[in-house]
Amino acid sequence: MGQMSRCLVAGLAVFLILLGNVAPGGAALQQGRPTISVREARFGAKGDGVTDDTAAIQRAVDWLYAREGGKILFPPGTYIVTSVNIREGITYEGYGATIKRPEHLTDKIGQKAAHWVRTFTTQKYKYCGQSDSRPLIIRGLTFDGSSQTQGPYKKYELEHAALVFLTGDKKCPGRLTAVVEDCVFKNAVADGLSVYVNVKVTMRNCLAENCFRGGFVLTGGHSVAEVTNLTTRGKIDPTGIDVEVDGAGFGNSYKVEVYLENLTLEDGDFDVGVKDGSVVLGKNIFAEAPFNLVAPRSRILLRDCRFGIGPDNHLYFPQEVSFEGCEFFVSSRVPDKPYQQHSAAPKIVWTTKYYKGENQKVTFRECRFVLPPGYRKNPAARYYGLLTTWDDVDYHNRLEMEGGAIQGDFDVGLGMVHRGGRWRLKNLSIEAALPLALTGFADSLGRSFFDIVVEGLKVKSSRYIHLTGYPQANDNGLEHRNVVIPAKANIITSTHGLEGNRYAGNRLIIGPEPPTAATHGLPGDVFEQEGTGKRWRCVRPGYLKSRDGTERLVEARWEEMPASR
């Protein structure tokens, strides 16, 4: 286990202990507190699906909060609610009960007003304290946003009208503590559960269906979230999760800590964007396109996950990102357009003109990258196992791949869509028409050289590598360790030539006949004739040079090595 994994696992243990104490603590705090029903005469809720029960439920909340909290029961029924200001220290429980947004609310109060109507919300009474609050618990309720009666919302006309909105007060260090369990969120014009600043929330055993922006959404800093056993789906509004922190919490912090486990995102996106020292830990997550991960100055560890990837899915600014035991596959949901680049893994974007990413690292351990049979629909499209974008070697970014396999009818196993990069590949199996495609040279954009170490690579193809670089202005480096390939898989091609690169180590090429000038090789490679023990070393590279539509053989030179004793 790597250093990052050990540190994150240790942190995870503490993280889960802290979060695990939320619900039991809440139960202890509420022992001896009143339990009331919203249908009591003094409150007057009907739950008949017709009467507006907003005022009645608010009376119950205010009455109980004034007595230092307790439990509010919602007997089975449908409660029409515009917006209720909920408070900490109270459990809101309603197995068999539905909290429903009034139909045609936008027509009644206007779009501008409806834009900010949250069904259950803490926005009016934000918790503010030196330590975390008593728990606010929502249990067993179904929230229905009546989305199909609310008028236009798919251009974000009602994007802040969440079904449940939780926030603390960023002026104080204490967080609002909340537990949301056994709940259903459906037909939302915005978020199902929306979490903003200064919140410590546990969401478990929930379902979100047809929630326009997401079933679980986290947008504020100085927050901690644990989401487990969440299923999202939606044919009207594909529903996933969205962690997109753009609001500063206490101390002007955008930092969040997020733990995700057992998430099944049947139709929606996996969209996580964090920064400023945030930590995201995930296990057993399934999602199929879109997938986007943004992680400047943050740490991400995802284990035993399965992600379907589309051509516009990216991993941006990966300060310290690790995938362990995960599977990535090319998603069939995305239309196959001519000349489009598809990849099984999200495209890695190290840096852009807006952000300079330095000392970043992406690690894949024992991961699989799959192109399922039958996914090729357009012969002009290109399929990659993994792609990286432009990188300057002076930025010291690093891609590490250890173990695992790239499987399927890929055009390219690992490729640089532009140029430059520092890769370390160890004990990886690649099944692709071209296993490796490397590009590196300096120009006006920077020192875009490649620095590649390949160790224990296994290839299943008739080609091995394509190298692009300008020999007259080149600092590309390629090192091989413990790589054994059959001669039939030893085709090497280059656009501008191989002579300017730096080579270290060697590959062992095994074939039935001695090498000739037409046998491809890199300086230092060793060729072994099967059954004889005879060996030759490559002292001048041999390859196919292809440029401007023409191809010619650059002859190699092999020198016989003395027989070993």
Side-chain angles (χ1 to χ4, degrees):
M1 183 179 291
Q3 182 178 359
M4 176 183 176
S5 297
R6 288 193 296 270
C7 292
L8 288 185
V9 169
L12 172 60
V14 176
F15 186 43
L16 292 180
I17 289 170
L18 292 173
L19 283 169
N21 287 333
V22 170
L29 283 169
Q30 296 194 7
Q31 287 179 1
R33 302 296 185 193
T35 295
I36 61 175
S37 169
V38 294
R39 289 197 187 178
E40 293 177 23
R42 54 182 164 170
F43 307 124
K46 301 299 183 183
D48 58 10
V50 177
T51 305
D52 190 328
D53 287 321
T54 302
I57 297 171
Q58 191 66 64
R59 282 193 292 271
V61 173
D62 295 343
W63 186 91
L64 198 57
Y65 187 76
R67 287 156 181 80
E68 298 188 355
K71 180 185 291 187
I72 299 177
L73 294 177
F74 293 78
T78 298
Y79 299 83
I80 304 300
V81 174
T82 302
S83 184
V84 170
N85 297 296
I86 56 177
R87 308 295 293 266
E88 70 277 6
I90 297 176
T91 294
Y92 307 81
E93 184 172 305
Y95 288 93
T98 295
I99 308 296
K100 188 173 183 180
R101 183 181 174 97
E103 295 184 358
H104 307 288
L105 180 62
T106 305
D107 295 336
K108 297 172 184 176
I109 67 174
Q111 182 176 308
K112 185 176 181 180
H115 184 89
W116 295 98
V117 172
R118 286 125 174 190
T119 307
F120 272 17
T121 179
T122 65
Q123 68 196 69
K124 183 176 180 180
Y125 301 114
K126 301 183 184 74
Y127 173 76
C128 189
Q130 292 302 304
S131 57
D132 293 348
S133 77
R134 297 175 297 161
L136 181 162
I137 301 173
I138 302 173
R139 180 182 293 140
L141 287 166
T142 293
F143 293 87
D144 186 343
S146 305
S147 59
Q148 299 310 296
T149 72
Q150 302 299 309
Y153 66 89
K154 295 200 175 187
K155 293 184 179 180
Y156 299 90
E157 294 92 338
L158 300 170
E159 66 175 315
H160 292 292
L163 294 176
V164 175
F165 179 77
L166 302 176
T167 186
D169 192 328
K170 68 179 182 180
K171 296 192 295 291
C172 303
R175 298 179 175 96
L176 170 68
T177 300
V179 177
V180 180
E181 61 184 354
D182 302 336
C183 289
V184 175
F185 301 88
K186 64 181 183 179
N187 307 324
V189 295
D191 309 333
L193 173 61
S194 181
V195 177
Y196 195 43
V197 299
N198 284 47
V199 178
K200 182 166 72 175
V201 62
T202 299
M203 183 187 195
R204 54 183 172 236
N205 305 326
C206 291
L207 168 68
E209 184 171 16
N210 292 316
C211 295
F212 173 63
R213 290 215 320 172
F216 170 78
V217 177
L218 171 60
T219 57
H222 193 58
S223 290
V224 179
E226 177 193 13
V227 182
T228 58
N229 301 326
L230 171 66
T231 298
T232 68
R233 59 177 179 244
K235 300 305 180 185
I236 297 172
D237 290 309
T239 302
I241 66 166
D242 187 0
V243 178
E244 188 175 353
V245 181
D246 55 13
F250 176 73
N252 200 37
S253 173
Y254 292 88
K255 181 180 177 180
V256 297
E257 297 174 22
V258 181
Y259 178 69
L260 309 170
E261 184 172 3
N262 297 336
L263 271 57
T264 302
L265 313 181
E266 295 180 6
D267 301 299
D269 58 343
F270 179 87
D271 195 352
V272 174
V274 295
K275 55 188 174 183
D276 292 352
S278 295
V279 176
V280 178
L281 306 174
K283 182 178 180 182
N284 194 25
I285 301 168
F286 170 80
E288 182 177 0
F291 172 105
N292 284 289
L293 191 58
V294 185
R297 303 178 299 279
S298 297
R299 295 180 296 156
I300 313 288
L301 172 59
L302 300 176
R303 302 178 64 184
D304 303 325
C305 299
R306 189 166 182 261
F307 296 115
I309 304 298
D312 297 320
N313 296 178
H314 297 84
L315 170 53
Y316 285 99
F317 319 132
Q319 189 65 50
E320 192 172 356
V321 176
S322 287
F323 301 93
E324 297 184 357
C326 295
E327 179 181 308
F328 300 86
F329 63 95
V330 177
S331 173
S332 62
R333 289 182 179 171
V334 182
D336 196 353
K337 300 177 182 178
Y339 311 109
Q340 195 168 43
Q341 291 175 333
H342 297 262
S343 60
K347 188 182 298 182
I348 299 175
V349 180
W350 301 106
T351 189
T352 67
K353 63 180 179 181
Y354 306 106
Y355 182 83
K356 181 180 178 181
E358 297 184 86
N359 300 307
Q360 303 172 124
K361 184 170 74 169
V362 179
T363 302
F364 296 92
R365 288 192 180 91
E366 299 299 338
C367 294
R368 296 175 64 236
F369 307 84
V370 180
L371 177 59
Y375 270 38
R376 282 183 172 273
K377 302 179 183 67
N378 193 307
R382 298 276 289 173
Y383 290 84
Y384 296 78
L386 183 144
L387 275 170
T388 63
T389 62
W390 179 88
D391 191 24
D392 190 315
V393 293
D394 292 336
Y395 293 173
H396 303 287
N397 299 315
R398 187 179 177 109
L399 168 66
E400 293 187 355
M401 304 183 72
E402 183 174 349
I406 297 174
Q407 299 174 323
D409 188 21
F410 286 103
D411 295 294
V412 178
L414 301 174
M416 296 176 174
V417 66
H418 296 302
R419 54 189 176 273
R422 181 174 281 107
W423 296 0
R424 300 295 181 262
L425 313 177
K426 184 176 182 180
N427 299 332
L428 179 66
S429 174
I430 301 180
E431 183 180 13
L434 174 62
L436 301 171
L438 309 180
T439 302
F441 50 84
D443 62 9
S444 60
L445 293 177
R447 288 170 44 82
S448 303
F449 304 128
F450 60 73
D451 175 9
I452 312 295
V453 176
V454 180
E455 181 176 354
L457 184 69
K458 298 178 181 178
V459 298
K460 301 178 181 180
S461 69
S462 60
R463 298 178 64 187
Y464 180 71
I465 197 168
H466 179 84
L467 300 169
T468 299
Y470 293 128
Q472 66 272 22
N474 199 354
D475 197 28
N476 294 319
L478 177 61
E479 179 177 352
H480 285 95
R481 304 172 184 169
N482 191 30
V483 175
V484 181
I485 62 171
K488 62 182 180 181
N490 184 38
I491 301 301
I492 300 171
T493 59
S494 178
T495 306
H496 300 286
L498 302 184
E499 289 74 16
N501 299 323
R502 294 178 290 104
Y503 301 99
N506 61 73
R507 302 174 304 149
L508 176 61
I509 306 164
I510 299 177
E513 304 293 336
T516 69
T519 301
H520 294 184
L522 301 172
D525 281 351
V526 173
F527 189 101
E528 180 178 302
Q529 185 181 8
E530 294 175 325
T532 67
K534 292 183 177 180
R535 289 189 169 191
W536 293 258
R537 185 178 299 279
C538 182
V539 296
R540 186 177 67 198
Y543 58 96
L544 289 174
K545 187 173 183 179
S546 177
R547 191 179 179 191
D548 301 326
T550 61
E551 185 175 89
R552 67 181 182 86
L553 173 67
V554 176
E555 294 186 343
R557 189 169 77 226
W558 296 87
E559 291 183 350
E560 188 169 359
M561 301 170 62
S564 58
R565 295 182 180 179

